[in-house]
């Protein structure tokens, strides 16, 4: 299942990158009034549908993830256990509402989607916020370990690799929090579409790197 989900995640990240490359190219190079913008919008919509089909039912895996995660908990949950549980629950909500959005757009046109359109970005940005807290917590812990007088060489080498991964994840999560925070009215009015496209492009590039280069961190 892990290998299958990795392939799904990789395909989704590739399509997301294609979406934002096209957005930035059209907005920054050609301009919104260019005739290619209409074609880009249509292609963007179809890519969005493809991402929805590829990622459909991923929320089922989140239910399995909760069961697996609960097996690791002791009598007292640590702060990281709590963070991971919150991230899993929010990711489950995000993926479930994403499937509902796709179903409404393709099949159930009469189904009201206002609340789904609100819950999806809320869950997406909130999941990234708590994932950010988890990465910051782990980064601080591993940096502290490396600052000790005589750290274990094998463990220290692994931590150096993890530290680079955490830093990349933190940048991507900040971008995604800003990208999906449009459920907050003041933020929606404050940020421009061009800025959102840049944030989406940065997030997409880092996401593709994280998926396809899991062993590249050690060489950087």
């Amino acid at each position: 299942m892990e290998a299958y989900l990795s392939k799904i995640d990789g395909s989704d990240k590739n399509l997301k990158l294609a979406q934002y490359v096209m957005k930035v190219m059209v907005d920054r190079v050609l301009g919104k009034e260019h005739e290619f913008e209409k074609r880009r919008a249509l292609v963007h919509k179809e890519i969005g549908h493809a991402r929805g089909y590829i990622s459909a039912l991923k929320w089922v895996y989140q239910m399995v993830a909760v069961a697996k995660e609960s097996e690791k908990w002791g009598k007292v949950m640590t702060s990281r256990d709590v963070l991971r549980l919150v991230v899993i629950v929010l990711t489950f909500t995000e993926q479930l509402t994403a499937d509902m959005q796709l179903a409404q757009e393709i099949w159930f046109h009469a189904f009201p989607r206002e609340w789904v359109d609100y819950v999806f970005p809320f869950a997406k940005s909130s999941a990234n916020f708590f994932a950010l807290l988890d990465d910051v917590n782990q980064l601080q812990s591993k940096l502290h370990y490396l600052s000790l007088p005589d750290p274990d060489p094998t463990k220290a080498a692994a931590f150096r690799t993890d530290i680079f991964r955490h830093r990349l994840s933190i940048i991507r999560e900040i971008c995604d929090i800003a990208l999906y925070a449009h459920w907050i009215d003041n933020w929606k009015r404050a940020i421009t579409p061009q800025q959102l496209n840049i944030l989406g492009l940065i997030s997409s590039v880092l996401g593709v790197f994280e998926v396809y280069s899991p062993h590249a961190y050690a060489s950087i």
Side-chain angles (χ1 to χ4, degrees), residues 121-132:
F122 168 78
K124 183 80 172 179
S125 59
S126 299
N128 276 284
F129 173 75
F130 285 102
L132 172 67

Side-chain angles (χ1 to χ4, degrees), residues 35-48:
E35 61 180 12
F36 183 72
E37 167 60 17
K38 295 180 179 178
R39 300 178 186 176
R40 198 279 308 164
L42 180 61
V43 173
H44 177 83
K45 183 178 180 180
E46 294 304 320
I47 291 177

Side-chain angles (χ1 to χ4, degrees), residues 19-34 36-37 40-41 192-198:
Q19 282 183 307
Y20 281 103
V21 166
M22 284 193 299
K23 276 188 171 185
V24 171
M25 287 291 291
V26 171
D27 289 347
R28 303 292 294 182
V29 179
L30 299 178
K32 286 189 174 183
E33 301 303 322
H34 196 276
F36 183 72
E37 167 60 17
R40 198 279 308 164
T192 66
Q194 292 79 9
Q195 291 170 333
L196 288 174
N197 291 342
I198 295 297

Side-chain angles (χ1 to χ4, degrees), residues 112-142:
R113 57 177 292 170
E114 287 79 10
W115 70 274
V116 177
D117 287 342
Y118 178 85
V119 172
F120 171 75
F122 168 78
K124 183 80 172 179
S125 59
S126 299
N128 276 284
F129 173 75
F130 285 102
L132 172 67
L133 294 182
D134 185 35
D135 274 310
V136 169
N137 183 38
Q138 291 188 69
L139 178 62
Q140 184 180 21
S141 175
K142 289 169 184 178

Side-chain angles (χ1 to χ4, degrees), residues 51-157:
R51 290 181 63 194
Y53 289 130
I54 289 171
S55 302
L57 301 180
K58 278 181 69 178
W59 53 271
V60 176
Y61 171 73
Q62 293 304 125
M63 298 174 67
V64 178
V66 171
K68 287 185 176 180
E69 194 69 24
S70 64
E71 294 174 359
K72 303 176 185 178
W73 300 336
K75 293 182 179 179
V76 179
M77 292 178 64
T78 65
S79 59
R80 193 184 177 204
D81 290 335
V82 174
L83 280 175
R84 288 177 62 85
L85 178 60
V86 171
V87 171
I88 288 172
V89 171
L90 288 169
T91 304
F92 167 85
T93 306
E94 167 229 320
Q95 292 168 348
L96 180 59
T97 51
D99 282 1
M100 294 175 69
Q101 281 181 321
L102 180 65
Q104 190 278 338
E105 188 169 349
I106 302 298
W107 299 295
F108 306 110
H109 302 291
F111 184 81
R113 57 177 292 170
E114 287 79 10
W115 70 274
V116 177
D117 287 342
Y118 178 85
V119 172
F120 171 75
F122 168 78
K124 183 80 172 179
S125 59
S126 299
N128 276 284
F129 173 75
F130 285 102
L132 172 67
L133 294 182
D134 185 35
D135 274 310
V136 169
N137 183 38
Q138 291 188 69
L139 178 62
Q140 184 180 21
S141 175
K142 289 169 184 178
L143 286 172
H144 174 72
Y145 180 82
L146 292 179
S147 68
L148 296 177
D150 190 24
D152 177 75
T154 303
K155 194 172 182 179

